[in-house]
């Protein structure tokens, strides 16, 4: 039967000035299985977020939108491409955004764990009111944050915004 292996080869010099090679073989089926299992769990998690009936955003402490699910795009009338990289203030009315423009970080911090009524504006210009619930995402995201920080686009903390 066939199975994945790790193969290592090293050259060894003997005292008689001979060159011999030493090799080892290691069965990596378990690692491959774990890797596939992790990929499947990630895909499932992505599907839960993307297909959730409630609008969801992932933002940083500056309010930059890094993630918006289909429900968020549908509710506010924007495409993902139109939302990603923009500030969460884009879905707030001008008056509401202006009140919080000076310090969106303070707005986020003061909203953590609280239901906050927000005046919103859809892409078509219609006005409405929704409830935001903002929670900080625990952990570090070195690949995502590192890549985007090099481009000067984001902060160092991530938050979820649940809209209802």
């Amino acid at each position: 039967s066939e199975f994945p292996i790790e193969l290592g080869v090293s050259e060894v010099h003997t005292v008689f000035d001979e060159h011999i090679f030493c090799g080892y073989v290691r069965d990596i089926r378990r690692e491959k299985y774990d890797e596939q299992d992790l990929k499947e769990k990630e895909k499932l998690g992505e599907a839960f977020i993307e297909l959730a009936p409630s609008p969801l955003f992932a933002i940083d402490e500056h309010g930059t939108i890094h993630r918006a699910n289909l429900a968020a795009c549908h509710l506010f009338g924007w495409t993902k491409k139109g939302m990603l990289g923009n500030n969460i203030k884009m879905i707030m009315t001008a008056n509401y955004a202006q009140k919080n423009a000076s310090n969106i970080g303070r707005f986020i911090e003061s909203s953590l764990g609280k239901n906050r009524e927000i005046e919103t504006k859809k892409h078509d210009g219609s006005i409405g009111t929704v409830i935001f619930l903002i929670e900080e995402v625990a952990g570090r995201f070195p690949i995502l944050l590192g890549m985007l920080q090099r481009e000067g686009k984001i902060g160092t903390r991530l938050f979820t915004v649940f809209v209802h």
Side-chain angles (χ1 to χ4, degrees):
S1 71
E2 294 182 17
F3 57 92
I5 63 166
E6 179 180 299
L7 175 63
V9 179
S10 297
E11 184 177 10
V12 178
H13 298 279
T14 67
V15 291
F16 303 109
D17 204 27
E18 296 174 322
H19 299 274
I20 60 172
F21 295 88
C22 178
Y24 70 89
V25 175
R26 187 172 70 87
D27 182 349
I28 58 170
R29 282 181 282 197
R30 183 66 194 181
E31 287 92 340
K32 290 292 183 183
Y33 171 80
D34 290 345
E35 188 178 289
Q36 184 61 33
D37 187 49
L38 181 60
K39 284 179 185 178
E40 289 173 7
K41 287 177 180 173
E42 285 174 357
K43 284 181 185 177
L44 183 60
E46 290 286 324
F48 277 131
I49 292 167
E50 192 60 28
L51 301 173
S54 297
L56 301 170
F57 293 95
I59 62 173
D60 64 20
E61 73 266 26
H62 305 296
T64 304
I65 300 170
H66 298 286
R67 199 82 205 258
N69 71 353
L70 289 173
C73 294
H74 179 73
L75 177 64
F76 295 105
W78 290 89
T79 63
K80 275 186 187 293
K81 191 174 181 179
M83 292 182 115
L84 300 181
N86 287 305
N87 197 285
I88 194 73
K89 293 183 289 189
M90 74 182 289
I91 63 169
M92 297 177 183
T93 60
N95 289 339
Y96 201 87
Q98 194 170 18
K99 280 195 301 190
N100 296 290
S102 64
N103 195 340
I104 191 72
R106 190 167 11 130
F107 167 78
I108 292 168
E109 288 291 333
S110 67
S111 299
L112 284 176
K114 300 175 185 169
N115 284 318
R116 188 110 181 232
E117 192 171 292
I118 308 292
E119 296 173 1
T120 58
K121 179 183 72 170
K122 295 182 180 182
H123 185 55
D124 67 7
S126 60
I127 306 295
T129 303
V130 299
I131 305 292
F132 271 16
L133 174 61
I134 301 176
E135 295 289 349
E136 186 163 6
V137 179
R140 297 278 179 212
F141 304 90
I143 294 171
L144 171 68
L145 292 175
M147 176 184 68
L148 295 172
Q149 281 175 334
R150 280 193 301 278
E151 297 171 7
K153 294 183 178 177
I154 70 164
T156 58
R157 299 165 64 196
L158 287 178
F159 300 87
T160 55
V161 180
F162 300 91
V163 180
H164 53 277

